[in-house]
Amino acid sequence: MKPFEIVDTPIETQKYTDYVLHVGAGAVTVFTGHVREWTHGVRTLYLAYEAYVPMAEKKLEQIGAEMEEKWPGVKVAIAHRIGEMHISDIAVVIAVSSPHRKAAYEANEYAIERIKEIVPIWKKEIWEDGEEWIGGQKKYPEKGSVE
């Protein structure tokens, strides 16, 4: 297992948790991002993720380095899955350990925001009535609107 990786198989969260856990860790936070069925009234059937894997893994590693600089003592592992994923599948896992809980929470939230900002991963949403490659900002129909 690499601490910063793109995978094309189901994510096993425990191995990332085990990687960051050490005797100096007083807290471990594990964030998992899942495929949800409904977003702003639009039903998703499944998602397809693609990535430029070598660059994506370098960017994940960069995020880990940023976290270690901002929160000294944290240990980080991040994995993002690519390929077709169905409702409730795990798309991303971020495991962070630190001596104290506040840093673990803050660093974990920082990681998911940075992933969305700088990691070259693209998501295609497939709905009941269409599909679209999604950038950072998806404009879903307003709740209750008629098309």
Side-chain angles (χ1 to χ4, degrees), residues 15-125:
K15 69 180 181 180
Y16 300 98
T17 303
D18 292 345
Y19 176 81
V20 300
L21 185 58
H22 58 89
V23 296
V28 174
T29 58
V30 178
F31 169 83
T32 54
H34 297 255
V35 177
R36 67 175 168 259
E37 184 175 17
W38 294 93
T39 303
H40 302 290
V42 177
R43 183 172 184 225
T44 299
L45 298 178
Y46 64 95
L47 302 178
Y49 284 94
E50 291 186 5
Y52 174 44
V53 174
M55 179 61 74
E57 289 182 338
K58 284 183 181 176
K59 291 296 185 181
L60 293 176
E61 189 172 340
Q62 175 188 326
I63 293 167
E66 291 171 4
M67 295 164 67
E68 290 170 6
E69 185 176 321
K70 289 173 103 37
W71 294 277
V74 300
K75 187 172 181 182
V76 183
I78 304 171
H80 201 297
R81 185 175 167 194
I82 57 175
E84 188 176 303
M85 282 172 265
H86 295 272
I87 306 305
S88 299
D89 283 352
I90 298 172
V92 62
V93 62
I94 303 165
V96 179
S97 69
S98 70
H100 304 284
R101 69 179 178 272
K102 185 174 182 181
Y105 279 121
E106 290 175 353
N108 205 311
E109 183 175 15
Y110 175 85
I112 191 65
E113 297 303 326
R114 289 294 284 155
I115 289 169
K116 291 177 181 240
E117 288 174 3
I118 68 168
V119 181
I121 297 172
W122 302 279
K123 176 175 69 174
K124 185 176 189 179
E125 292 192 2

